[in-house]
Amino acid sequence: MVATTSIKMDELLATWLGSDTIYENVMRIIETQKQESTTNKEGGNASASALDDGRPPLSPKMVKKIPKKVEIPSFFAKPKDAEGNPQIPPPQPPKRRWSSSFTEDQTWNGDYMSYANEGRENDSPKSLEQDSVATDPTAATQKKKVCIAVQAKEMFTELGTAPPIRVADSQHQQLGGALRRYYLQTSKDEYHTSEEDLIYIPLERFERVTKELCNFPTFFHKPLYERILMLWSTHYHLNVAGGGGDEVQLPPVVTYGIFHYFWKTEMAPYDKNERFFRLLKRPDLDYITRDDFFPYIKELLNDHPGLEFLSNHAEFQDKYAVTVITRIFYSVNLCHSGRITSRQIRKSNLLSVFQQVDEEEDINKVTKYFSYEHFYVLYCRFWELDHDRDYKITREDLLKYGEHSLSHMIVDRIFDAAPRPFEGSDPATHDENGNVISKVSRNFLSYEDFIFFMLSEEDKANEFSVRYWFTCVDVDGDDKLNNMEMRSFYAVQLHRMQCMGHEVVPFEDMLCQMMDMIKPANAEFLIVEDFLQPHCSQVSGALFDALFNVNKYVMFEQRDPFLERQKREDEFETDWDRFACIDYNRLAMEEEAREEEAMEVDWVTMDEEEEDADEYNSLGLSGSSEAPF
């Protein structure tokens, strides 16, 4: 009704203004109003002179009305002192926190806490308690802890040992004398100024310091202890001993003063991720290498209850450590350079997973990196293909993977172009400028290379897997997949589908279907970013399966929508977790069947031996009937 009325009014107005007489009258009234407005604002004389010289009046939009006083909003106005004068210069901004990832002050003596409460002696205790130094919004309701120095002092007093002065044990007497000689009897050591600074905690009691003060996993205590001593030795030689001559052999214990030095230099200035990064890497490098992880995984094997059964299997302990480290590099080091940077640590969940495995008793519940069942699946698959037991997978071995599901063309590309986990990461293979001067042999796949391959093959929904297979299919290396490259891979698939008796899908139909699912930015070619779009997370691997994995492509064409819905709603976070669970159960059942078969063979052999023994005794050839043991 309202719309109809508006239309009729517009038609009436158009008809009314269509009359020439009415239009001229309206324009005359408008000109008169403009002249009167100009006369009122600028004065009669100015307006008359403007009209006399033939200049048109100013446009109403150009006439500016200047207020008597400009009011500045409060958030733009300069602060004033008690007399109302502006403060020049303005006050300094508040001091930033040392670290934005902690809810308490991380300085040694509570410097930030003291600065935040400076000049607030008259404030109520409640207001001081609510003014937390943390950026975490939940920290305002928490009671602030004492500074790190007091916490460390209490812990060293509780767990530590004071150096003895006179004891019967000569070893302790020598340790106490060495601590006083190297630390107290020199004026250059600012961290040991009293006997209390010489209280030390031995390695076997350092776990609480590692977990409660440093916020590292418990099994980090031994590598952390050794790192503290190494850094202190370097500091002592350069700054206390003067750096001349041979380095002195300092006592191998962490004192309160040494921990004070470590906290001020390696802990207080950094957040959790940076602390973790600096602890793992070598002090003279700015990245983490593969070897940097081994001490921590070794301590995990010795400490975790879920890995206790591996204590008598040193070989499998080593293989488990290699598997965990390789999986870490697979997920964190996406550029596959073999060097993990601080930025990559921040973008990953590595620190939180380390904390999780420290608190979780069931190692298999930590599916990221540490699951023993996942290691079992990876190693058994490698072992099944490595028939000659030389820990090398050849092209012929890899063709047997997944019941010969891969085409020979993609296998060749895996050996020739696929990313390798630690290729060129050894400093010995680089020149002075960091350029790679030698590469790992590509005639075979090592166990680490096979882990990269298998993780990428069984889960094509993650970013590294997409880049892995994109590199393999991009034959000309121009970072684009064109129709010619995809057609050459699919031609092999067509031949295999015909030989296996499957329905043949023409290349044009397959490509049209995949383009509809991926929705690339350019219809002429595909780039990596097309596969990494949010809507492609579950379908990015379908194109790769269509190009080189005939079994998975046939399953994709014959998929059941009901089963696909169940798969999306199950408990597994990734396709790899789902595959590893299914394959582990298969391998476990096969192992049980082999054990049962072996037991049956043992029983048959025992029965045959008993029958032979009865015949031997019946002939009177057995001699004494007593048992030989």
Side-chain angles (χ1 to χ4, degrees):
M1 183 66 183
V2 175
T4 304
T5 305
S6 300
I7 294 173
K8 291 182 177 180
M9 291 296 295
D10 293 342
E11 294 176 352
L12 181 60
L13 182 60
T15 304
W16 182 59
L17 291 177
S19 175
D20 296 338
T21 305
I22 296 176
Y23 180 77
E24 292 177 358
N25 293 333
V26 171
M27 293 301 297
R28 190 179 300 111
I29 294 173
I30 293 175
E31 291 294 335
T32 304
Q33 292 294 329
K34 288 182 179 180
Q35 294 176 6
E36 293 178 356
S37 175
T38 304
T39 302
N40 294 334
K41 292 179 180 179
E42 300 182 3
N45 296 333
S47 177
S49 61
L51 291 175
D52 292 341
D53 62 8
R55 290 179 298 176
L58 293 175
S59 171
K61 295 182 180 179
M62 299 299 296
V63 178
K64 297 182 180 180
K65 184 176 181 180
I66 302 176
K68 296 181 180 180
K69 184 178 180 181
V70 179
E71 296 182 0
I72 302 177
S74 58
F75 49 85
F76 283 121
K78 294 182 178 181
K80 299 180 180 180
D81 55 17
E83 299 178 358
N85 300 319
Q87 292 183 1
I88 302 175
Q92 295 292 330
K95 186 178 179 181
R96 290 185 59 188
R97 294 187 64 248
W98 284 95
S99 170
S100 59
S101 63
F102 293 98
T103 57
E104 294 88 18
D105 186 4
Q106 294 295 300
T107 56
W108 178 255
N109 293 319
D111 296 336
Y112 187 90
M113 189 185 306
S114 302
Y115 180 88
N117 295 332
E118 185 178 356
R120 301 183 61 184
E121 294 81 2
N122 298 326
D123 289 4
S124 63
K126 184 176 181 180
S127 62
L128 289 174
E129 181 178 351
Q130 290 178 351
D131 184 17
S132 174
V133 298
T135 57
D136 188 347
T138 61
T141 60
Q142 299 175 355
K143 186 176 180 180
K144 282 187 284 190
K145 297 182 179 180
V146 295
C147 64
I148 299 297
V150 176
Q151 297 181 51
K153 177 71 72 174
E154 294 175 353
M155 196 165 294
F156 269 77
T157 303
E158 178 183 354
L159 304 175
T161 303
I165 300 178
R166 293 181 180 179
V167 293
D169 191 347
S170 60
Q171 182 178 0
H172 286 77
Q173 180 69 35
Q174 293 177 0
L175 178 60
L179 290 174
R180 293 183 177 87
R181 181 171 66 256
Y182 289 122
Y183 301 151
L184 282 185
Q185 296 178 5
T186 175
S187 59
K188 296 182 179 180
D189 188 358
E190 58 179 314
Y191 297 100
H192 296 89
T193 58
S194 64
E195 287 286 339
E196 292 183 351
D197 295 330
L198 296 181
I199 299 176
Y200 64 90
I201 296 180
L203 173 62
E204 57 272 13
R205 296 201 295 267
F206 204 68
E207 293 183 352
R208 279 189 57 190
V209 178
T210 304
K211 184 67 175 180
E212 298 179 15
L213 279 183
C214 300
N215 292 299
F216 289 129
T218 307
F219 59 91
F220 275 34
H221 71 284
K222 183 177 180 180
L224 175 63
Y225 200 90
E226 295 173 351
R227 174 58 64 89
I228 294 174
L229 291 177
M230 183 189 70
L231 294 175
W232 171 253
S233 177
T234 303
H235 165 78
Y236 185 91
H237 178 70
L238 295 177
N239 299 288
V240 180
D246 298 333
E247 293 189 15
V248 296
Q249 189 68 26
L250 298 176
V253 292
V254 174
T255 64
Y256 177 78
I258 294 176
F259 186 77
H260 179 192
Y261 158 76
F262 174 76
W263 190 274
K264 291 188 68 174
T265 57
E266 295 293 323
M267 301 293 284
Y270 308 106
D271 61 6
K272 293 180 180 179
N273 289 312
E274 191 68 18
R275 291 178 181 181
F276 178 79
F277 173 74
R278 294 178 63 86
L279 177 62
L280 265 68
K281 74 179 186 69
R282 288 171 45 185
D284 56 334
L285 299 178
D286 57 353
Y287 54 84
I288 300 174
T289 64
R290 167 181 47 180
D291 296 337
D292 295 332
F293 283 100
F294 277 105
Y296 302 91
I297 306 302
K298 181 180 178 180
E299 292 303 316
L300 174 67
L301 286 163
N302 296 332
D303 181 78
H304 202 283
L307 298 171
E308 186 178 359
F309 66 96
L310 282 180
S311 57
N312 297 326
H313 303 278
E315 178 185 1
F316 293 111
Q317 283 186 333
D318 295 338
K319 294 300 179 185
Y320 174 81
V322 169
T323 304
V324 171
I325 295 171
T326 306
R327 292 188 63 187
I328 289 174
F329 274 84
Y330 178 87
S331 299
V332 179
N333 185 226
L334 296 179
C335 61
H336 52 81
S337 64
R339 302 175 177 182
I340 296 179
T341 63
S342 175
R343 180 182 179 86
Q344 292 171 350
I345 291 290
R346 293 182 181 278
K347 296 175 63 177
S348 71
N349 60 349
L350 186 58
L351 178 57
S352 61
V353 176
F354 266 99
Q355 298 286 4
Q356 181 185 1
V357 75
D358 182 41
E359 300 170 0
E360 178 59 60
E361 294 184 0
D362 188 356
I363 194 72
N364 294 315
K365 290 184 178 180
V366 188
T367 56
K368 292 288 187 181
Y369 319 130
F370 293 99
S371 172
Y372 180 81
E373 292 182 354
H374 291 192
F375 155 70
Y376 188 84
V377 169
L378 288 165
Y379 189 77
C380 287
R381 283 295 187 113
F382 179 83
W383 189 255
E384 289 173 355
L385 297 178
D386 183 25
H387 294 290
D388 53 2
R389 303 294 182 255
D390 61 348
Y391 290 97
K392 297 178 181 179
I393 299 295
T394 62
R395 298 172 191 257
E396 292 73 19
D397 295 334
L398 193 60
L399 281 170
K400 302 173 184 177
Y401 181 85
E403 300 179 354
H404 298 82
S405 61
L406 299 175
S407 65
H408 66 85
M409 191 171 182
I410 195 63
V411 170
D412 291 338
R413 289 294 299 168
I414 290 172
F415 278 82
D416 295 338
R420 303 291 179 100
F422 306 110
E423 182 178 22
S425 61
D426 187 359
T429 62
H430 289 73
D431 58 16
E432 297 179 354
N433 298 325
N435 300 319
V436 179
I437 57 177
S438 64
K439 291 188 176 182
V440 180
S441 174
R442 284 189 170 267
N443 296 326
F444 59 87
L445 296 181
S446 65
Y447 178 55
E448 294 91 333
D449 301 333
F450 179 80
I451 292 175
F452 265 45
F453 156 75
M454 189 170 175
L455 293 175
S456 301
E457 169 58 23
E458 302 304 336
D459 184 5
K460 295 185 175 71
N462 64 79
E463 180 179 352
F464 187 91
S465 175
V466 169
R467 296 184 183 276
Y468 184 95
W469 293 119
F470 189 93
T471 303
C472 292
V473 181
D474 182 22
V475 179
D476 56 6
D478 62 347
D479 296 331
K480 299 177 183 178
L481 294 186
N482 52 51
N483 290 353
M484 183 178 298
E485 291 171 330
M486 291 185 284
R487 188 183 292 274
S488 62
F489 280 92
Y490 194 74
V492 181
Q493 292 288 80
L494 283 176
H495 178 69
R496 300 185 71 195
M497 286 189 288
Q498 290 175 351
C499 295
M500 298 172 65
H502 294 297
E503 180 182 359
V504 176
V505 181
F507 174 75
E508 291 73 14
D509 295 346
M510 182 277 299
L511 186 60
C512 181
Q513 180 188 14
M514 297 302 168
M515 289 294 185
D516 291 341
M517 292 192 303
I518 298 177
K519 298 179 177 60
N522 193 316
E524 299 297 327
F525 55 83
L526 294 170
I527 58 177
V528 172
E529 287 71 18
D530 293 332
F531 294 93
L532 300 178
Q533 299 177 86
H535 67 273
C536 292
S537 59
Q538 299 300 325
V539 299
S540 58
L543 175 61
F544 295 125
D545 289 336
L547 295 179
F548 52 75
N549 193 316
V550 64
N551 293 346
K552 290 187 177 181
Y553 180 54
V554 171
M555 292 175 59
F556 173 78
E557 288 293 317
Q558 301 175 357
R559 64 190 182 279
D560 185 354
F562 179 73
L563 294 179
E564 290 296 319
R565 181 179 179 182
Q566 283 186 328
K567 184 189 298 185
R568 291 192 297 268
E569 296 177 355
D570 61 18
E571 60 181 348
F572 302 106
E573 295 182 2
T574 64
D575 292 338
W576 164 252
D577 294 342
R578 185 181 300 104
F579 168 82
C581 179
I582 297 173
D583 205 54
Y584 179 81
N585 292 331
R586 177 188 67 83
L587 293 169
M589 292 176 62
E590 292 179 357
E591 181 66 23
E592 292 177 0
R594 283 194 295 268
E595 292 178 357
E596 293 177 358
E597 183 179 355
M599 291 179 62
E600 292 177 359
V601 172
D602 291 342
W603 280 108
V604 171
T605 305
M606 187 179 299
D607 293 340
E608 292 177 353
E609 291 177 353
E610 290 178 355
E611 292 177 0
D612 295 340
D614 293 341
E615 293 178 358
Y616 188 75
N617 293 332
S618 63
L619 296 176
L621 301 175
S622 60
S624 176
S625 61
E626 294 181 358
F629 49 82

